[in-house]
Amino acid sequence: MIKNYLKIAFRNLKKDKQFTFLNMMGLSAGLACTLLIYLWVHDELSYDKFFEHDNQVYQVMETRIGGGSQSLTDESSGLVSDLLKVQAPEDVEYAAAVAPADWWQKFTLTVGDKNIKATGQYVGKDYFNIFSFKMLQGERGKVLAAKNNIVISDELAKKLFNTVDNAIGKSIRFQHDKEFAVSGVFEKLPIHSSQQFDFVLSFDYLADVQGWVKTWSNGGPHNFVMLKKGTDVDAFNKKITNLVTKNSGDTTRRAFAMRFSENYLRNTFNHGARVGGRDEYIKLFSLIAIFILLIACINFMNLSTAKASGRMKEVGIKKVVGAARSQLIIQFLSESLLMAVFTMILAIIIAWLLLPQFNQLTGKEIKLNFDFQLIKILIGITLFTGLVSGSYPALYLSKFNPLAILKGKLNSSFAELVARKGLVVFQFTLSVMLIVAVLVVYRQIQFIQNTTPGYNKDNMIRFDSEGKLAGTEEVFAAELKKIPGVVNASFTQHNIVGRNFGTTGLSWDGKEANKDVYFEGFFGGYNFIETMAMKMATGRAFSKNYGTEGAKVILNETAVKAMHLQNPIGRIVKVLGGNFQVIGVVKDFHFESLHEVVRPSFILLAQGASPYFKMMIRIKGAQQKETIGQIQHLYESYNPGFPFTYSFLDQAYQKQYETEVRVSTLTKYFSFLAILISCLGLFGLVAFTAQKRQKEIGIRKVIGASVNSITIMLTQDFLKLVCIAVVIAFPLAWWGMNQWLQGFVYRINMGVGVFFIAGSSIIIITLLTVSFQAIKAAMTNPVKSLRSE
């Protein structure tokens, strides 16, 4: 019997090739989209989940309160880890402080005549006990026992030694300054690790050369703990909440532990409250996948219903000869399941073909591996699609009275009309919401890209100050300015994009007692403000024309407001234990993304040598390649042995919004697909309506109705459905996009323009879709329609 059902199903699909093609096109597009989104979501959820003790690994975070706002950071004192092991041994198995890889650009490692740039970080002794990266050589608990140890990846070992074998004990020169002995080799980090580095050094070594990382008054290091099995995390957080405050005396800082593997997905904060991160986009695209799959199923239902009138007599005859309703339902469900199987095969092929472009859009390296989990998902989606999309046609076609069918006296019930039209309204409600989403996200991204951050980010290159360059930045900047393509040059310790270091250690006359303000700190050389094209609100920038400027400070406008200074120029401010005179107020500039408010900031003159200094060079837009080549030649002659690597500031600025830009692009494609599938369903419904009313249309034409009047008659019903969808979609879309925009401190106003464009677009699309079938029906020869009468 099953074989017979499948044979009949296959014949029916083959009989009406146009119907089968439209159904397969809509369903396969929806299934391919769903599959791609599943692969993306699965990839996102895989980050940092591979550690052996994933559910025990936590990162110590800090909430900082001050200046009327609250913020959250993953930075803390480098002393936290050591103290937790001593004060909470009943809870903490291992703890390690980390100076993360993103603090610096790349370091120079030397073996013989090889000088290689590599990404490194400083970590505590327990680091490899906490994070179970695969160790190829060395014992994970002992590889950082000495301060002169270095642990490298197998990939880096091949570059330095041409082999991974017997790397233990070999010497590597770091920054052409200090020798380190290889104590361990780890396998190249998995792509699904949010931590990416080529080597690690001892955090204790860093503390020897940069003592501030182990002081309570400074933040910067990250701290990780592996809690013992069974530890109550809530109780642990109560223990450590005042840990930093008790030791530093800073009342603005509160510590707590967050599960490390959650940080990748939930890493966007605003004033201490989560406002969305990758997890929000996972929910968004999961919802879009469900919507598109439902739209594709609805499309199938509508097209099947449109074809139903042609199979009425088939159903009637089968019922007359004894077919039960359950048998008819099974027959029609088998057709839809067979269609689902065909379309799933086609969808897999489409997804496989589109995967390279999809990876390019998402910045991933997703592969279509048919493991047991994916096979289960594919089978589940196929069954869901086949049963859901075939259920309504099966129930609809099998319920009719055979005598009424054969006499041609079938009339659509009210419930049937409501159900069919309700599906159309649902489809287009989702489509309108997606159009609004695309427009709002696009406008917000444009707003971000066109907003001036308070400095000129274009044509600015930066690179680390290292080797001979460290401590002679002013001299090197003067040499750079002699290059014809260089507009200006200076240096700073700040990344400019993102936070660098902050402190509440500022005081001034009139400061309210017990009310600390958190400041972001900058160090900049002479010409720093001019090179960055920042604007002064009042006062002046650092200048050699005024003698020594080491005891001077520049504030930003937000700092002046937070300090309640009426006439700031000339005021004395105590910064980091020293007295500094305010010589200028710079206009506010964004060193974080527009998700964050501009923080109170100060700028001190950069002096001496520091491993954190970066050269900032503004070049002319024309002949960039030639200018950079001259800068490289100067750098390599001035600083032999250090490979020249640089980055563009505007690229780093755009990287802050990388996720939003990708979401905007993906939403645009998914919205187009949803609208296309919806139009296929509408196309089928118009065909069904025209077929049902063909005799009415024939009579109207005989008594003088024009093609235009019949077209309008057929079109207006569907426009009403779309207008209902618009009315439903607009408030839902407004609410959803308003929630998304709350994640930006600086954002657009949606305005009525977005909704006008979305509404008019969907109406025009509807008219184009409906008019084709309506005009075709209106132009049909009435004799052909009335022949059976």
PDB file of all heavy atoms in Angstrom, residues 8 64 94 137 145 190 260 315 338 357 400 491 507 610 660 663 744 784:
ATOM      1  N   ILE A   8       1.664   6.817  -6.761  1.00  0.00           N
ATOM      2  CA  ILE A   8       0.647   7.807  -7.146  1.00  0.00           C
ATOM      3  C   ILE A   8       1.166   9.221  -6.886  1.00  0.00           C
ATOM      4  O   ILE A   8       0.974  10.137  -7.691  1.00  0.00           O
ATOM      5  CB  ILE A   8      -0.669   7.563  -6.371  1.00  0.00           C
ATOM      6  CG1 ILE A   8      -1.277   6.232  -6.799  1.00  0.00           C
ATOM      7  CG2 ILE A   8      -1.655   8.704  -6.603  1.00  0.00           C
ATOM      8  CD1 ILE A   8      -2.462   5.803  -5.956  1.00  0.00           C
ATOM      9  N   ARG A  64      31.762  48.496  37.721  1.00  0.00           N
ATOM     10  CA  ARG A  64      32.352  49.745  38.212  1.00  0.00           C
ATOM     11  C   ARG A  64      31.295  50.839  38.220  1.00  0.00           C
ATOM     12  O   ARG A  64      30.637  51.089  37.213  1.00  0.00           O
ATOM     13  CB  ARG A  64      33.550  50.144  37.350  1.00  0.00           C
ATOM     14  CG  ARG A  64      34.712  49.165  37.502  1.00  0.00           C
ATOM     15  CD  ARG A  64      35.860  49.442  36.566  1.00  0.00           C
ATOM     16  NE  ARG A  64      36.955  48.503  36.780  1.00  0.00           N
ATOM     17  CZ  ARG A  64      38.017  48.409  36.000  1.00  0.00           C
ATOM     18  NH1 ARG A  64      38.130  49.193  34.941  1.00  0.00           N
ATOM     19  NH2 ARG A  64      38.976  47.540  36.261  1.00  0.00           N
ATOM     20  N   TYR A  94      42.096  25.989  40.601  1.00  0.00           N
ATOM     21  CA  TYR A  94      43.216  26.688  39.966  1.00  0.00           C
ATOM     22  C   TYR A  94      42.787  28.124  39.682  1.00  0.00           C
ATOM     23  O   TYR A  94      41.599  28.419  39.496  1.00  0.00           O
ATOM     24  CB  TYR A  94      43.607  26.022  38.644  1.00  0.00           C
ATOM     25  CG  TYR A  94      44.084  24.595  38.768  1.00  0.00           C
ATOM     26  CD1 TYR A  94      43.290  23.544  38.306  1.00  0.00           C
ATOM     27  CD2 TYR A  94      45.331  24.297  39.323  1.00  0.00           C
ATOM     28  CE1 TYR A  94      43.723  22.234  38.396  1.00  0.00           C
ATOM     29  CE2 TYR A  94      45.766  22.981  39.423  1.00  0.00           C
ATOM     30  CZ  TYR A  94      44.958  21.959  38.963  1.00  0.00           C
ATOM     31  OH  TYR A  94      45.383  20.660  39.066  1.00  0.00           O
ATOM     32  N   GLN A 137      54.106  18.689  23.859  1.00  0.00           N
ATOM     33  CA  GLN A 137      55.354  18.484  24.599  1.00  0.00           C
ATOM     34  C   GLN A 137      55.283  19.298  25.886  1.00  0.00           C
ATOM     35  O   GLN A 137      54.758  20.413  25.896  1.00  0.00           O
ATOM     36  CB  GLN A 137      56.567  18.934  23.777  1.00  0.00           C
ATOM     37  CG  GLN A 137      56.776  18.154  22.483  1.00  0.00           C
ATOM     38  CD  GLN A 137      57.959  18.675  21.683  1.00  0.00           C
ATOM     39  OE1 GLN A 137      59.006  18.998  22.229  1.00  0.00           O
ATOM     40  NE2 GLN A 137      57.788  18.757  20.362  1.00  0.00           N
ATOM     41  N   ALA A 145      56.780  27.043  35.145  1.00  0.00           N
ATOM     42  CA  ALA A 145      57.348  27.043  36.497  1.00  0.00           C
ATOM     43  C   ALA A 145      58.412  28.118  36.659  1.00  0.00           C
ATOM     44  O   ALA A 145      58.575  28.693  37.744  1.00  0.00           O
ATOM     45  CB  ALA A 145      57.939  25.665  36.806  1.00  0.00           C
ATOM     46  N   PRO A 190      42.207  25.593  18.558  1.00  0.00           N
ATOM     47  CA  PRO A 190      41.025  25.328  17.716  1.00  0.00           C
ATOM     48  C   PRO A 190      40.408  26.629  17.216  1.00  0.00           C
ATOM     49  O   PRO A 190      40.483  27.665  17.887  1.00  0.00           O
ATOM     50  CB  PRO A 190      40.065  24.595  18.670  1.00  0.00           C
ATOM     51  CG  PRO A 190      40.915  24.075  19.769  1.00  0.00           C
ATOM     52  CD  PRO A 190      42.048  25.048  19.912  1.00  0.00           C
ATOM     53  N   PHE A 260      33.119  31.186  31.749  1.00  0.00           N
ATOM     54  CA  PHE A 260      33.942  31.667  30.639  1.00  0.00           C
ATOM     55  C   PHE A 260      33.312  31.369  29.282  1.00  0.00           C
ATOM     56  O   PHE A 260      33.336  32.209  28.375  1.00  0.00           O
ATOM     57  CB  PHE A 260      35.338  31.046  30.710  1.00  0.00           C
ATOM     58  CG  PHE A 260      36.179  31.345  29.507  1.00  0.00           C
ATOM     59  CD1 PHE A 260      36.653  32.627  29.267  1.00  0.00           C
ATOM     60  CD2 PHE A 260      36.477  30.351  28.583  1.00  0.00           C
ATOM     61  CE1 PHE A 260      37.412  32.909  28.138  1.00  0.00           C
ATOM     62  CE2 PHE A 260      37.234  30.621  27.462  1.00  0.00           C
ATOM     63  CZ  PHE A 260      37.701  31.911  27.243  1.00  0.00           C
ATOM     64  N   VAL A 315     -10.769  13.004  -6.092  1.00  0.00           N
ATOM     65  CA  VAL A 315     -11.110  12.694  -4.709  1.00  0.00           C
ATOM     66  C   VAL A 315     -12.515  12.101  -4.641  1.00  0.00           C
ATOM     67  O   VAL A 315     -12.779  11.112  -3.933  1.00  0.00           O
ATOM     68  CB  VAL A 315     -11.014  13.966  -3.828  1.00  0.00           C
ATOM     69  CG1 VAL A 315     -11.541  13.687  -2.426  1.00  0.00           C
ATOM     70  CG2 VAL A 315      -9.577  14.454  -3.771  1.00  0.00           C
ATOM     71  N   LEU A 338       7.134  13.230   0.067  1.00  0.00           N
ATOM     72  CA  LEU A 338       8.012  12.968  -1.072  1.00  0.00           C
ATOM     73  C   LEU A 338       8.584  14.268  -1.619  1.00  0.00           C
ATOM     74  O   LEU A 338       9.777  14.349  -1.950  1.00  0.00           O
ATOM     75  CB  LEU A 338       7.220  12.242  -2.174  1.00  0.00           C
ATOM     76  CG  LEU A 338       8.023  11.728  -3.375  1.00  0.00           C
ATOM     77  CD1 LEU A 338       9.060  10.704  -2.929  1.00  0.00           C
ATOM     78  CD2 LEU A 338       7.089  11.115  -4.418  1.00  0.00           C
ATOM     79  N   GLN A 357      30.259  31.454  -0.284  1.00  0.00           N
ATOM     80  CA  GLN A 357      29.806  32.844  -0.208  1.00  0.00           C
ATOM     81  C   GLN A 357      29.259  33.162   1.181  1.00  0.00           C
ATOM     82  O   GLN A 357      29.465  34.253   1.711  1.00  0.00           O
ATOM     83  CB  GLN A 357      28.730  33.113  -1.271  1.00  0.00           C
ATOM     84  CG  GLN A 357      29.241  33.157  -2.703  1.00  0.00           C
ATOM     85  CD  GLN A 357      29.604  31.795  -3.264  1.00  0.00           C
ATOM     86  OE1 GLN A 357      29.064  30.779  -2.838  1.00  0.00           O
ATOM     87  NE2 GLN A 357      30.510  31.766  -4.222  1.00  0.00           N
ATOM     88  N   PHE A 400     -14.326  16.610   1.598  1.00  0.00           N
ATOM     89  CA  PHE A 400     -15.508  16.933   0.804  1.00  0.00           C
ATOM     90  C   PHE A 400     -16.433  15.730   0.603  1.00  0.00           C
ATOM     91  O   PHE A 400     -15.985  14.571   0.498  1.00  0.00           O
ATOM     92  CB  PHE A 400     -15.097  17.495  -0.561  1.00  0.00           C
ATOM     93  CG  PHE A 400     -14.351  18.788  -0.476  1.00  0.00           C
ATOM     94  CD1 PHE A 400     -13.067  18.900  -0.977  1.00  0.00           C
ATOM     95  CD2 PHE A 400     -14.925  19.893   0.135  1.00  0.00           C
ATOM     96  CE1 PHE A 400     -12.370  20.082  -0.878  1.00  0.00           C
ATOM     97  CE2 PHE A 400     -14.241  21.083   0.223  1.00  0.00           C
ATOM     98  CZ  PHE A 400     -12.955  21.185  -0.276  1.00  0.00           C
ATOM     99  N   PHE A 491      52.757  59.728  18.732  1.00  0.00           N
ATOM    100  CA  PHE A 491      52.634  58.399  19.328  1.00  0.00           C
ATOM    101  C   PHE A 491      51.745  58.478  20.557  1.00  0.00           C
ATOM    102  O   PHE A 491      51.499  59.548  21.120  1.00  0.00           O
ATOM    103  CB  PHE A 491      54.012  57.819  19.675  1.00  0.00           C
ATOM    104  CG  PHE A 491      54.760  58.579  20.730  1.00  0.00           C
ATOM    105  CD1 PHE A 491      54.808  58.118  22.040  1.00  0.00           C
ATOM    106  CD2 PHE A 491      55.432  59.770  20.426  1.00  0.00           C
ATOM    107  CE1 PHE A 491      55.510  58.820  23.017  1.00  0.00           C
ATOM    108  CE2 PHE A 491      56.128  60.463  21.396  1.00  0.00           C
ATOM    109  CZ  PHE A 491      56.172  59.989  22.702  1.00  0.00           C
ATOM    110  N   SER A 507      41.855  63.507  41.882  1.00  0.00           N
ATOM    111  CA  SER A 507      41.224  64.360  42.890  1.00  0.00           C
ATOM    112  C   SER A 507      41.489  65.815  42.532  1.00  0.00           C
ATOM    113  O   SER A 507      42.448  66.138  41.829  1.00  0.00           O
ATOM    114  CB  SER A 507      41.768  64.040  44.290  1.00  0.00           C
ATOM    115  OG  SER A 507      43.180  64.217  44.350  1.00  0.00           O
ATOM    116  N   SER A 610      58.117  52.861  26.796  1.00  0.00           N
ATOM    117  CA  SER A 610      57.041  51.977  27.247  1.00  0.00           C
ATOM    118  C   SER A 610      56.745  50.959  26.158  1.00  0.00           C
ATOM    119  O   SER A 610      56.716  51.306  24.978  1.00  0.00           O
ATOM    120  CB  SER A 610      55.772  52.784  27.557  1.00  0.00           C
ATOM    121  OG  SER A 610      54.665  51.931  27.743  1.00  0.00           O
ATOM    122  N   GLU A 660      27.365  43.880  13.551  1.00  0.00           N
ATOM    123  CA  GLU A 660      26.177  44.582  13.070  1.00  0.00           C
ATOM    124  C   GLU A 660      26.137  44.633  11.539  1.00  0.00           C
ATOM    125  O   GLU A 660      25.075  44.482  10.932  1.00  0.00           O
ATOM    126  CB  GLU A 660      26.129  46.003  13.639  1.00  0.00           C
ATOM    127  CG  GLU A 660      25.728  46.092  15.097  1.00  0.00           C
ATOM    128  CD  GLU A 660      26.886  45.810  16.042  1.00  0.00           C
ATOM    129  OE1 GLU A 660      28.019  45.588  15.546  1.00  0.00           O
ATOM    130  OE2 GLU A 660      26.670  45.817  17.268  1.00  0.00           O
ATOM    131  N   VAL A 663      25.155  41.236  10.298  1.00  0.00           N
ATOM    132  CA  VAL A 663      23.732  41.030  10.562  1.00  0.00           C
ATOM    133  C   VAL A 663      22.897  41.783   9.540  1.00  0.00           C
ATOM    134  O   VAL A 663      21.892  41.273   9.026  1.00  0.00           O
ATOM    135  CB  VAL A 663      23.372  41.477  11.995  1.00  0.00           C
ATOM    136  CG1 VAL A 663      21.872  41.602  12.173  1.00  0.00           C
ATOM    137  CG2 VAL A 663      23.926  40.494  13.012  1.00  0.00           C
ATOM    138  N   PHE A 744      22.495  50.751  21.483  1.00  0.00           N
ATOM    139  CA  PHE A 744      23.374  51.844  21.070  1.00  0.00           C
ATOM    140  C   PHE A 744      23.029  53.088  21.883  1.00  0.00           C
ATOM    141  O   PHE A 744      21.869  53.492  21.947  1.00  0.00           O
ATOM    142  CB  PHE A 744      23.198  52.171  19.580  1.00  0.00           C
ATOM    143  CG  PHE A 744      23.605  51.065  18.650  1.00  0.00           C
ATOM    144  CD1 PHE A 744      22.702  50.077  18.287  1.00  0.00           C
ATOM    145  CD2 PHE A 744      24.889  51.008  18.141  1.00  0.00           C
ATOM    146  CE1 PHE A 744      23.057  49.052  17.427  1.00  0.00           C
ATOM    147  CE2 PHE A 744      25.263  49.982  17.279  1.00  0.00           C
ATOM    148  CZ  PHE A 744      24.353  49.002  16.931  1.00  0.00           C
ATOM    149  N   LYS A 784     -14.653  30.221 -23.339  1.00  0.00           N
ATOM    150  CA  LYS A 784     -13.928  29.087 -22.763  1.00  0.00           C
ATOM    151  C   LYS A 784     -14.359  28.847 -21.320  1.00  0.00           C
ATOM    152  O   LYS A 784     -14.478  27.703 -20.868  1.00  0.00           O
ATOM    153  CB  LYS A 784     -12.421  29.367 -22.837  1.00  0.00           C
ATOM    154  CG  LYS A 784     -11.560  28.218 -22.373  1.00  0.00           C
ATOM    155  CD  LYS A 784     -10.082  28.545 -22.541  1.00  0.00           C
ATOM    156  CE  LYS A 784      -9.213  27.396 -22.080  1.00  0.00           C
ATOM    157  NZ  LYS A 784      -7.772  27.707 -22.199  1.00  0.00           N
TER     158      LYS A 784
END
